[in-house]
Amino acid sequence: MSTEADRPAPTRPAPTRPAPTRPAPTRRARARKRRGRAFGFAFAGVVGVLLVAGLAGAAASTAQGPRVTEAQVDPAAAVASSGSRLIVTTTQALAEVQPEQVVITPATPFAVDTSGRSVGIRFAHPLWDETKYTVEISGVRGLGGGPETTITQTFRTGKESFYLLQRGDEEDTIFRTDLSGDEAIPVFRHAHIEDYRATSSHLVVSVRDGEGTDPMDGTTQLLVTDLDGDDQRVLPLPGKGAVTNLQSADRGELIGYTFTDATISADGGRESMLFTASLKDPDAEPQPVEVEGADNRVVRWRFVPETDRLLFVGFDGALWLTDRTGSDAATLGTAVTLDGVAGSTAIVDRADGLLAVDLADGTEEPLPAPDSDYGQLRSVVPVPGGGTVRLYAELDDNGIPGASIVAFVADDGASSVVSRVPVTDAVIRTCVSPNGRYVATSVAPDIIDNPYDRYLLPLPERVETHIAEIATGDEVVALSAFDSSWCRVPPQ
């Protein structure tokens, strides 16, 4: 029998709490909720519309073929130098464009490349000035397929401009001018300018200070400025001496010259040694061009266009093709002199006459004979794009030289007279514009009464530059100055 003590104590049930009740939503909260749902539906709708529109646009673009969105070309640079480009950007990544798909009017050599949505046309030669060019690219197709389209772009090139040197009684001046001659601007003055060259970014000027009665007196300096004649600095030289045959390369702000020590004796001294220097480094020392086993005294030399290689004729008559260091050199036989280089072809005067030498493989062939007899050949200048400008001396019945004839001779021998200079005047030299459109003829009028000045590079005191269009023979302008920046070398 259990007792009360054995019974378990009664337990009190835990108090229960009423479940919390969520307050009824207010009118504002219900409105926010409705707006949220509406925004979500609207956003989804907009995304859908944009997606559909984008797909439709892409489909339409693909259906229409590539379309031009941008075209870039520098009309001034296209006239000044080779290698300028027309870049056309389209709406689609493009399949590779082949050269046969491109037609340029007027015709000019070119190369074509395709990258992504762009196609580039690189002009191999400078273009004619103030000329409308049309570039037509047919059969252009997107990388993913679709219909073909034809792209046509036109542009007009800028004016031709160049530099000239004028020697004076008190000072010499380098001018920049156009073909009118009315807007000549003096950009550099000095008491004694021997020569100068223009690169794409600089003027390099050979000057002499402290000149006495002997033209070898004084100190030669190479001064470098920008193309406006500002920011002048002095370029280091191999020593004290004379700089001659100053030239500049087509690319890389590279110059070269021959150097002769001020004092040469039986014990030694550098004579007509070839040096190069980069204008990109203002403190760079000039680098000698020395070919092992060669006579490195230079008679004539040239930069090979579009490269940093050099071609020179040594005192021993050997013709060498080399790099700047002289370590990668090849001999190309012998030569009396070197008239010029265009592309990979050099005009070389050998003992048996003038020849065109291919610098790529060393092969050679005679120059094309003109279809007319102009007299005695004096010099030959290659023309960019083909043909040569040749200077002749007319011969009378007794073989005596008379007037000078400047003629253009095409690669097939077809020829025409560009200008005729009377026997009373002397032709100093001819130079061709970079775009091959004009020839500049330096003329010393009344040569009998036109004495030479006292410079290391002596010239008649009065020299004019006559510029004529090669195709027509029409004279464009005559200027009282010489040494056009079109010329690759000094008067020789």
Side-chain angles (χ1 to χ4, degrees), residues 43 51 105 268 276 300 369 399-400 478 483:
F43 180 77
L51 180 60
T105 308
T276 64
R300 293 283 188 270
I400 298 175
D483 207 11

Side-chain angles (χ1 to χ4, degrees), residues 5-90:
D6 297 327
R7 298 175 184 167
T11 59
R12 182 177 296 177
T16 59
R17 297 179 182 176
T21 59
R22 182 173 297 170
T26 64
R27 183 178 301 172
R28 182 177 299 175
R30 287 195 298 270
R32 281 200 301 267
K33 188 173 183 180
R34 285 196 302 271
R35 285 197 300 270
R37 286 197 299 268
F39 175 78
F41 290 138
F43 180 77
V46 170
V47 170
V49 170
L50 291 176
L51 180 60
V52 171
L55 293 174
S61 178
T62 302
Q64 294 175 0
R67 290 170 295 151
V68 175
T69 60
E70 184 182 20
Q72 299 177 349
V73 67
D74 186 337
V79 173
S81 62
S82 61
S84 62
R85 288 164 59 88
L86 167 67
I87 300 176
V88 179
T89 303
T90 69

Side-chain angles (χ1 to χ4, degrees), residues 90-157:
T90 69
T91 54
Q92 301 179 33
L94 300 176
E96 193 77 19
V97 174
Q98 302 301 321
E100 55 267 22
Q101 296 174 241
V102 182
V103 176
I104 301 177
T105 308
T108 187
F110 66 91
V112 59
D113 62 88
T114 312
S115 177
R117 296 186 297 118
S118 298
V119 56
I121 308 297
R122 182 183 183 276
F123 304 110
H125 300 305
L127 303 182
W128 280 24
D129 56 295
E130 297 188 276
T131 300
K132 179 183 176 182
Y133 279 83
T134 301
V135 179
E136 183 178 279
I137 312 171
S138 60
V140 181
R141 185 189 296 269
L143 190 61
E148 296 180 350
T149 189
T150 297
I151 294 174
T152 302
Q153 293 292 311
T154 62
F155 63 93
R156 187 172 182 82
T157 54

Side-chain angles (χ1 to χ4, degrees), residues 130-424:
E130 297 188 276
T131 300
K132 179 183 176 182
Y133 279 83
T134 301
V135 179
E136 183 178 279
I137 312 171
S138 60
V140 181
R141 185 189 296 269
L143 190 61
E148 296 180 350
T149 189
T150 297
I151 294 174
T152 302
Q153 293 292 311
T154 62
F155 63 93
R156 187 172 182 82
T157 54
K159 288 185 176 182
E160 180 73 74
S161 65
F162 53 99
Y163 294 85
L164 287 168
L165 172 60
Q166 186 181 70
R167 289 177 177 171
D169 294 334
E170 300 297 329
E171 63 180 5
D172 304 333
T173 306
I174 297 173
F175 291 89
R176 181 175 61 239
T177 183
D178 60 13
L179 287 174
S180 72
D182 297 330
E183 300 180 4
I185 301 172
V187 295
F188 185 83
R189 302 178 190 270
H190 192 275
H192 185 120
I193 299 176
E194 282 286 342
D195 193 18
Y196 80 99
R197 285 293 168 268
T199 71
S200 60
S201 302
H202 295 92
L203 292 176
V204 184
V205 189
S206 174
V207 304
R208 293 184 71 81
D209 290 314
E211 180 187 9
T213 57
D214 188 333
M216 284 298 293
D217 290 346
T219 301
T220 296
Q221 287 186 322
L222 278 184
L223 304 180
V224 181
T225 74
D226 63 22
L227 293 177
D228 292 325
D230 299 325
D231 298 327
Q232 179 179 308
R233 59 184 171 87
V234 179
L235 198 67
L237 290 178
K240 183 177 180 180
V243 170
T244 53
N245 292 316
L246 179 64
Q247 299 179 41
S248 61
D250 290 338
R251 296 284 185 269
E253 294 296 302
L254 185 66
I255 66 165
Y257 52 85
T258 50
F259 179 82
T260 300
D261 283 324
T263 303
I264 299 179
S265 66
D267 296 329
R270 293 168 295 189
E271 180 183 6
S272 197
M273 300 294 291
L274 183 55
F275 288 83
T276 64
S278 172
L279 303 183
K280 293 180 178 179
D281 183 355
D283 299 319
E285 292 295 323
Q287 179 176 342
V289 180
E290 296 178 308
V291 176
E292 185 176 357
D295 186 340
N296 288 290
R297 296 172 299 169
V298 172
V299 178
R300 293 283 188 270
W301 77 277
R302 296 287 191 280
F303 278 114
V304 178
E306 305 294 333
T307 74
D308 61 354
R309 296 181 68 78
L310 306 95
L311 190 67
F312 74 85
V313 180
F315 273 27
D316 60 356
L319 178 64
W320 291 93
L321 177 65
T322 180
D323 61 6
R324 292 178 59 195
T325 66
S327 60
D328 182 19
T331 181
L332 298 175
T334 61
V336 176
T337 189
L338 180 62
D339 272 39
V341 184
S344 62
T345 301
I347 308 299
V348 177
D349 188 1
R350 300 202 193 275
D352 52 352
L354 282 165
L355 300 169
V357 179
D358 190 326
L359 301 180
D361 55 20
T363 58
E364 57 188 49
E365 59 184 19
L367 292 178
D371 56 12
S372 299
D373 183 10
Y374 297 110
Q376 183 180 49
L377 182 61
R378 291 178 53 192
S379 66
V380 179
V381 179
V383 176
T388 55
V389 166
R390 307 185 190 185
L391 176 62
Y392 293 89
E394 280 187 329
L395 301 177
D396 64 14
D397 295 338
N398 297 317
I400 298 175
S404 298
I405 298 293
V406 178
F408 172 73
V409 181
D411 291 335
D412 61 0
S415 63
S416 60
V417 174
V418 179
S419 62
R420 186 178 187 275
V421 180
V423 67
T424 55

